[in-house]
Amino acid sequence: MKVLTQSTRYDLLRAQFNLDSQSAMNDEMRNSLNRIFSYVFNHTKIMYLEFIDEKVCCNYIKFHHANQFEEVSYMETLKDIKNFNNFIQNIKSIKNAPNIKPSIINYSFWMKLNK
């Protein structure tokens, strides 16, 4: 039963990320979304795109930091967050989507990473 649930969750998330479609997405955006999709599927219990919030994005950065950015560089990790933010706000048009800004001047975002 658990395998069936995981399979259904995988298909549901994958459809929401539009990773199999031939959309106007560039390779960088597709790669970013693939990495975030993989993280969300393997390290959370989230089933719907709307539930990916700033905390999940902070945990995504923390995950790569804990792995010393072996798979993905620090800059790529931040680009992933920016690309995901663009995806949920502009492509998916999700209302109340978190406005995640991992810029240097966003002090509150960086303080959340220290928690």
Side-chain angles (χ1 to χ4, degrees), residues 62-113:
K62 288 178 184 180
F63 170 78
H64 286 294
H65 178 264
N67 292 322
Q68 282 114 28
F69 299 101
E70 288 177 0
E71 284 183 43
V72 182
S73 73
Y74 173 73
M75 292 306 292
E76 285 178 311
T77 303
L78 295 183
K79 284 182 187 177
D80 289 352
I81 299 299
K82 287 181 183 181
N83 286 333
F84 177 72
N85 194 40
N86 178 49
F87 175 72
I88 59 172
Q89 289 182 349
N90 300 323
I91 297 172
K92 286 299 205 172
S93 301
I94 293 177
K95 294 179 180 175
N96 300 322
N99 192 7
I100 305 154
K101 295 183 181 177
S103 71
I104 294 173
I105 59 173
N106 189 351
Y107 179 75
S108 63
F109 177 80
W110 294 107
M111 289 307 295
K112 290 177 185 173
L113 284 175

Side-chain angles (χ1 to χ4, degrees), residues 40-53:
V40 169
F41 181 72
N42 292 311
H43 300 282
T44 72
K45 294 182 180 182
I46 292 173
M47 289 184 71
Y48 298 101
L49 202 57
E50 290 85 2
F51 295 128
I52 301 173
D53 58 7

